[in-house]
Amino acid sequence: MTSLSGSTPGGQKQALEHLPHGITETPAELAHNWFVGSIDQGTTSSRFLIFNGAGDPVAMHQLEFENLYPKSGWHEQDPLALLRSVEECIEGCVKKFEEKGGDRKRIKAVGITNQRETTVVWDKETGEPLGNAVVWPDTRTTALVRELKEREGAGELLELCGLPLSTYPSSVKLLWLLQNDEGVKRAYDEGRLAFGTVDSWLIYRLNGGAEAERQVHVTDGTNASRTMFMNLRTLQYDEKLLNFFGIDQGKIQLPQIVPSSDTEAFGKIASGALAGVPITGCLGDQSSALVGQCGFSPGQAKNTYGTGCFLLYNVGTEPVISKNGLLATVAYDFGKGRKPVYALEGSIAVAGSGVKFLVDNLGFVEDPSRVSELAESVEDSAGLVFVTAFSGLFAPYWIDDAQGTLFGMTQYTTKAHIARATLEATCFQTRAILKAMEEDSGHKLERIAVDGGLSNSDVCMQAQADIAQIPVDRPAMRETTALGAAVAAGLAVGVWNELEELNDVNKVGRRMFMPKMPKQKAENMFQKWNQAVEMSRGWVREQDESN
C-alpha cells in the first residue's frame, strides 16, 4: 500500500521498500565514501533521509505534524512543531543509519528542502515565533489581493519578480499579518520583526537561534523568488517591490539571499546527533524535485504530485516571463561561478490533498492508498467533473473566487466515480499548464518526469498520460525532492563536483506510461473540464468573507 495524499507516513513505507537493508560498502570503501543528509520539510510531514554517493537513500525517518484550520480559508502551522518534527526526524534517522552499520561521522553535510511561500515571523531578540505560520494555500488574503491589484504599479510586478498577485506568495501573507496581528505590527514598529519562509526559520533555529554566537538568517534564490520581494534577474531584494507592499527594510529583518549550494552561508547544526555537521544546501521543494530528477538541461520538466501539484520546466539561464498564467521562478543557483538557472512553473493547489479530503472529510475509505483502488474499480468518471478549487484555482487560471464544485452528478454516480474525478482534476490542470508552457516556450514537451505521493497511483498516472497525451516517466525511487537537497549540499562539499557526475543517478527501474486514449476523446474531456472551470467562478463574495 502506498500513500497518495502527499508526504505522509504511508508514503514512507513505499520509499523504505527501496532502501538497502544495510550499508553495503566494505570498511575499505567506506573510508573513501561520504553520506549526505537531507531535511525534507513538507506541508503535512517532515522527513530526514541519508543518501550515499550514488544518490541512493539508505535511511529515513518521517513524522506527521498537525495542520491548523482556525477559520474557513485559513491554514496555519505551529513553527515550533515544525522545528521539533525536523529535530526528531534527524535523531530517528541517524539511529536507523547506525543500526544498519553506518557511521554518523561519515555524514559530510546536510541539505534542506521545504514547503515554499509558507510565512513565519519571529522576534529577532528572543528567537521565538510571533504566532503560527501562514501556510501557502491559505486564502485569508483574498480581499487584500483584490485591493493590491488596484494599487498603482501592480501591473509592473510580474516583469520584476515573475509572480502574479494572488493569495499564493509570502508577500501578501506578511502584509496581512502586519495589518491584522497586533503583536506582529508592534514588533515591526519596534524593529524586532524577523521574516522568513520555512527554510530560513529552520536554518536559524538549527544553528542555535537567538542563543547562537552567529545568528544565521538566510534563504536561497529558489525560496526568495516565491516572496515577490526579490528581483528575478539580480537575485536580490528590489526596492520597487518592497515599496509596493509598503515594507520598510529598516523595521524588518529579511533573510540574506545566498546561492542554493554553499559551504559557509547556512552555518551548521548546533546540537543533537549531527551537532557540528554543516548545512550546505537549500532548495524550495519544487526546485529540489527538479534537481532530484536531474532536470539540468533546458526543456526538461518534472511534475510533483504532493499535497499540491507543481510542474517545473527548465528554461535555462535567462528567465522567461509567462504570458499564459505561469510563474517564472529560480530553478537552482549552485554558485561557484555558475549562472543561476530558471524555470517556468505551473502550480496546482489541490492534488494529494484532494485524496485526503475524500478520506478525512467524506470518509470514502479508511486509507488514502485505497482511493486509487476505488477509482480503478470503474472504467471512467461517468461524465463527472470535480473542480477541486478548495483554495481557488492556481495556474494557469488564477481564479481566487472559485470554490470546489462537482458537475455532472446523476443517480448513477458512485463514490468510485467521485474518486476517479478527483484524480482526473489534477490531470486536467496539468494539461492546461503543459499547454501554457508550450505557448510560452515555443516547444512541446516530449515527456514529463513525475514524483510525489499521488504518482504512486498507476490509474492516476495512466489518466495523466491519456488526458495530456504525453508519456509519463516515473522513477522507482521517488524520493526526488529530498535527493535534490542532498545534491545541493553534496555539490558544496565535494561529494559530487559537477552536475555531469549525476547523470546516472536514479535511472534504474523507471516506468513509462504511454497515452492509450484516442486524442479526440481526450480533447472532448478537456473541453468539458474548461466548461466546469468557468462555471466554478464567483463563489467567493465579499459579504461571505465578513461572516
Side-chain angles (χ1 to χ4, degrees):
M1 268 186 289
T2 55
S3 172
L4 306 181
S5 59
S7 299
T8 66
Q12 178 186 10
K13 180 177 179 182
Q14 180 274 329
L16 286 172
E17 290 171 354
H18 296 282
L19 299 188
H21 294 295
I23 307 303
T24 56
E25 287 86 349
T26 67
E29 289 172 328
L30 272 174
H32 298 93
N33 290 330
W34 296 97
F35 296 88
V36 182
S38 178
I39 296 167
D40 182 358
Q41 203 300 297
T43 308
T44 57
S45 72
S46 298
R47 298 184 289 174
F48 188 75
L49 294 89
I50 298 171
F51 290 87
N52 63 20
D56 300 320
V58 296
M60 178 171 77
H61 195 77
Q62 177 171 2
L63 289 172
E64 274 195 317
F65 51 84
E66 186 178 10
N67 277 269
L68 309 169
Y69 305 93
K71 295 183 181 181
S72 177
W74 290 33
H75 188 171
E76 298 181 351
Q77 292 166 349
D78 178 355
L80 293 176
L82 296 184
L83 176 66
R84 284 194 299 270
S85 69
V86 167
E87 292 174 333
E88 290 176 26
C89 284
I90 293 173
E91 300 297 315
C93 186
V94 171
K95 181 180 179 182
K96 292 175 183 177
F97 179 64
E98 293 184 328
E99 287 172 352
K100 292 182 176 187
D103 180 356
R104 70 176 70 181
K105 293 179 182 177
R106 297 205 175 277
I107 300 173
K108 194 169 187 180
V110 168
I112 290 180
T113 182
N114 56 283
Q115 53 172 314
R116 304 168 304 167
E117 293 91 21
T118 295
T119 300
V120 188
V121 289
W122 64 94
D123 188 321
K124 69 179 185 181
E125 295 179 1
T126 67
E128 295 302 307
L130 292 167
N132 286 332
V134 182
V135 187
W136 59 269
D138 187 287
T139 58
R140 73 184 69 181
T141 56
T142 299
L144 174 60
V145 169
R146 281 200 293 266
E147 293 175 15
L148 291 171
K149 286 180 178 178
E150 299 300 318
R151 187 175 289 184
E152 184 179 354
E156 302 172 27
L157 302 183
L158 182 65
E159 185 64 33
L160 287 172
C161 67
L163 304 183
L165 273 169
S166 74
T167 59
Y168 191 27
S170 310
S171 54
V172 295
K173 294 174 171 58
L174 174 61
L175 190 54
W176 189 94
L177 289 170
L178 288 170
Q179 293 179 354
N180 294 276
D181 188 305
E182 286 298 324
V184 174
K185 180 66 164 64
R186 189 180 311 114
Y188 178 76
D189 289 339
E190 295 173 2
R192 294 183 287 107
L193 184 64
F195 156 85
T197 43
V198 170
D199 58 311
S200 298
W201 166 248
L202 291 178
I203 290 167
Y204 171 73
R205 290 297 295 253
L206 289 172
N207 272 275
E211 305 298 321
E213 184 176 332
R214 175 197 172 197
Q215 293 189 25
V216 181
H217 189 198
V218 297
T219 188
D220 86 307
T222 69
N223 282 293
S225 67
R226 316 303 294 186
T227 63
M228 292 192 81
F229 296 147
M230 187 192 82
N231 185 300
L232 202 57
R233 293 167 180 82
T234 66
L235 301 194
Q236 296 299 322
Y237 295 114
D238 189 288
E239 282 295 330
K240 194 168 187 177
L241 293 169
L242 291 167
N243 289 340
F244 177 85
F245 291 103
I247 302 299
D248 182 350
Q249 284 196 81
K251 294 184 176 181
I252 188 170
Q253 186 179 86
L254 301 174
Q256 180 187 359
I257 303 170
V258 300
S260 311
S261 180
D262 192 278
T263 55
E264 301 288 341
F266 304 110
K268 59 186 177 181
I269 296 176
S271 61
L274 296 183
V277 175
I279 303 168
T280 58
C282 178
L283 290 163
D285 52 8
Q286 304 314 319
S287 288
S288 194
L290 182 67
V291 171
Q293 290 275 19
C294 297
F296 301 128
S297 300
Q300 291 182 301
K302 70 88 202 175
N303 202 13
T304 297
Y305 300 77
T307 302
C309 188
F310 303 88
L311 201 160
L312 260 67
Y313 178 94
N314 184 326
V315 297
T317 56
E318 292 294 330
V320 174
I321 304 300
S322 175
K323 294 179 172 59
N324 295 284
L326 302 179
L327 312 179
T329 194
V330 178
Y332 52 85
D333 175 16
F334 289 147
K336 293 185 177 179
R338 304 180 183 98
K339 290 184 176 181
V341 172
Y342 297 91
L344 281 170
E345 176 176 338
S347 308
I348 299 169
V350 175
S353 57
V355 171
K356 195 171 176 62
F357 170 79
L358 298 184
V359 176
D360 295 347
N361 295 39
L362 302 184
F364 273 24
V365 288
E366 294 181 357
D367 187 272
S369 65
R370 299 291 184 189
V371 171
S372 183
E373 296 175 22
L374 185 62
E376 203 166 11
S377 69
V378 291
E379 291 185 3
D380 54 38
S381 58
L384 194 69
V385 178
F386 190 1
V387 181
T388 51
F390 301 151
S391 303
L393 283 172
F394 287 3
Y397 308 104
W398 300 108
I399 306 172
D400 291 333
D401 61 0
Q403 284 193 332
T405 320
L406 268 169
F407 296 96
M409 291 184 70
T410 69
Q411 287 184 313
Y412 176 69
T413 302
T414 66
K415 289 181 179 179
H417 295 125
I418 296 174
R420 194 171 186 105
T422 303
L423 300 182
E424 288 177 351
T426 301
C427 301
F428 283 125
Q429 291 177 79
T430 296
R431 171 167 173 164
I433 290 169
L434 287 169
K435 183 174 183 293
M437 286 184 171
E438 182 181 342
E439 292 175 358
D440 278 330
S441 68
H443 299 286
K444 182 177 177 63
L445 283 181
E446 294 182 1
R447 66 176 182 86
I448 184 167
V450 299
D451 50 54
L454 202 57
S455 72
N456 295 326
S457 167
D458 288 357
V459 67
C460 185
M461 293 300 96
Q462 186 58 55
Q464 185 65 85
D466 287 338
I467 288 170
Q469 292 287 292
I470 189 172
V472 171
D473 180 8
R474 185 178 71 185
M477 197 289 287
R478 296 194 274 284
E479 297 297 341
T480 51
T481 302
L483 176 59
V487 166
L491 282 170
V493 294
V495 174
W496 304 283
N497 292 308
E498 295 298 334
L499 300 180
E500 290 74 19
E501 296 176 31
L502 297 156
N503 286 338
D504 295 328
V505 166
N506 203 19
K507 292 294 186 290
V508 177
R510 299 184 79 98
R511 176 176 173 184
M512 194 77 76
F513 294 83
M514 303 301 294
K516 296 179 181 178
M517 181 181 291
K519 187 175 182 179
Q520 189 56 53
K521 181 178 179 181
E523 181 63 30
N524 292 342
M525 290 174 65
F526 186 55
Q527 291 306 318
K528 184 63 72 174
W529 162 263
N530 286 326
Q531 180 185 352
V533 166
E534 289 303 312
M535 294 173 69
S536 73
R537 290 178 182 268
W539 282 94
V540 180
R541 304 290 186 189
E542 286 190 35
Q543 58 265 35
D544 298 331
E545 293 160 9
S546 63
N547 293 337

